[in-house]
Amino acid sequence: MQLTPVLLCGGSGTRLWPLSRKSYPKQFARLLGQETLFQASARRLAGQDAQLSFTPPMVLTNSDFRFIVTEQLSEIGIDPGAILIEPQGRNTAPAVLAAALHLMKSDPDAVMLVAPSDHVVPDVAAFHTAVTAGLEAVKRGDLVTFGISPDRAETGYGYLELSAAPDGSGAPVSLGRFVEKPDADKAAAMLAAGNFLWNAGIFLFSARDIVAAFKAHAAGLIGPVGAAVDSAKADLGFLRLAPDAWSQAEDISIDYAVMEKAKNLSVVPFSSAWSDLGGWDAVWRETGPDGEGVATSGESTAIDCHNTLLRSESDTLELVGIGLENIMAVAMPDAVLVADMSRAQDVKLAVSALKGKAAKQAEQFPRDHRPWGWFESLVVGNRFQVKRIVVHPGAALSLQSHVHRSEHWIVVEGTAKVTIDDEVTLVTENQSVYIPLGAIHRMENPGKVPMVLIEVQTGSYLGEDDIIRYEDVYARN
């Protein structure tokens, strides 16, 4: 049986600040190894093996991440199926329903494997075995969810109470009820009881059955989500859900909307390793602490530390910890987090506090990712700014002009094809070009390697909204 993977890819991951931010959340970060969490999730649900066969993955994301999705899938050689663009975040219920309604148009009996794009599942074969077990329940019309066998009294996850303790066979078990994130005492009691699993938020069902469940338990979503799908517009290979209809959909999770009300639910127990990397304590565990409980990453050094995470996300920033106990320290070029390990779930409070003081670090990643590459500010003054800009091979910025600033470009790697009004020139390493205020210009990378340049802006206003676009291959408004 073929499965259609549905990857949910729109969350912000505030508990992993400062690495994960609204403009570039954790699923796109290389938290563990060389692949991002999104890439690892897509690879886990791709191709075919002795147990399963997957169609190209469907992805639900937002407009800001659409080119990051295609770029990261291309890096690992995966050609996606439909990429549905959500006009705004409305939680998992509308997203899953939109995916199901879209699939229903071509194959009402399609089987969907819905998964977040930021989980860690090291044993792919074991996961495929669990999915195969769940297919038996899907064939009889059940909605299947996956529960993780707990190895500790975790307070950061919701739980699934089973009708009976798993027998170790991996066969689906009837679900008793959903349990919200517990306090420490309740978590310990559930761990001891033996019939509670962590709620992984992964689902398996046919498109026909999940749409029927929405009609029975969340009928109010059918109208707006259905209209958003029916009126969706194709845009450069993406499918934009209709914004007016989508905005009328309730902001609600699939657990609340459907799963907690449905009677035809089965749970597949999964006893292999799994993590949603829901906090820096989870990253510490997955990184693999040494005998002293110390996990380091990047340019970091631990001296006489215990049960500590030290992580530097900058090649030029050395993070050193001395005599630390139960501490997590994460350093970015523009922000540093230092917290007690027991407060990992409270990191989101830092985001709220920074938003309250209008600090850009609350949501804005130091590198601004664009369809053509990325840029970062190196120095900012009252009337000048210095940026590093990296342009992918074959990519081009929009044809544009500025009202308030002029620019000076110095190529330091590769070759740039530069248009200034009616003149087109090639600028190679260690050459520069000046863009007068008001000139219509474009930068392109005609080569086969990334092109890097330093941009010096001068003017009375240096904001990113000082752009008049005349032509854009990425169809940005």
Side-chain angles (χ1 to χ4, degrees), residues 38-164:
F38 172 67
Q39 288 174 321
S41 298
R43 193 186 294 280
R44 188 163 59 247
L45 306 181
Q48 59 183 20
D49 57 22
Q51 302 180 77
L52 299 171
S53 176
F54 295 100
T55 69
M58 178 185 295
V59 180
L60 282 97
T61 188
N62 63 45
S63 186
D64 291 340
F65 303 153
R66 66 194 190 281
F67 293 106
I68 299 174
V69 164
T70 54
E71 178 185 333
Q72 292 203 353
L73 288 176
S74 177
E75 286 177 358
I76 59 173
I78 292 179
D79 188 17
I83 299 178
L84 274 57
I85 306 300
E86 300 175 76
Q88 56 184 287
R90 308 305 288 168
N91 216 314
T92 54
V96 173
L97 178 57
L101 291 172
H102 179 73
L103 276 174
M104 287 275 286
K105 292 176 180 291
S106 58
D107 183 6
D109 296 317
V111 177
M112 307 166 57
L113 179 56
V114 180
S117 58
D118 55 1
H119 288 187
V120 176
V121 185
D123 192 337
V124 175
F127 179 70
H128 286 187
T129 297
V131 173
T132 302
L135 287 173
E136 295 304 313
V138 171
K139 290 176 182 177
R140 58 176 185 260
D142 281 4
L143 310 178
V144 175
T145 185
F146 293 81
I148 311 301
S149 300
D151 59 7
R152 61 187 183 277
E154 176 62 58
T155 60
Y157 300 148
Y159 284 70
L160 306 170
E161 182 179 6
L162 308 184
S163 57

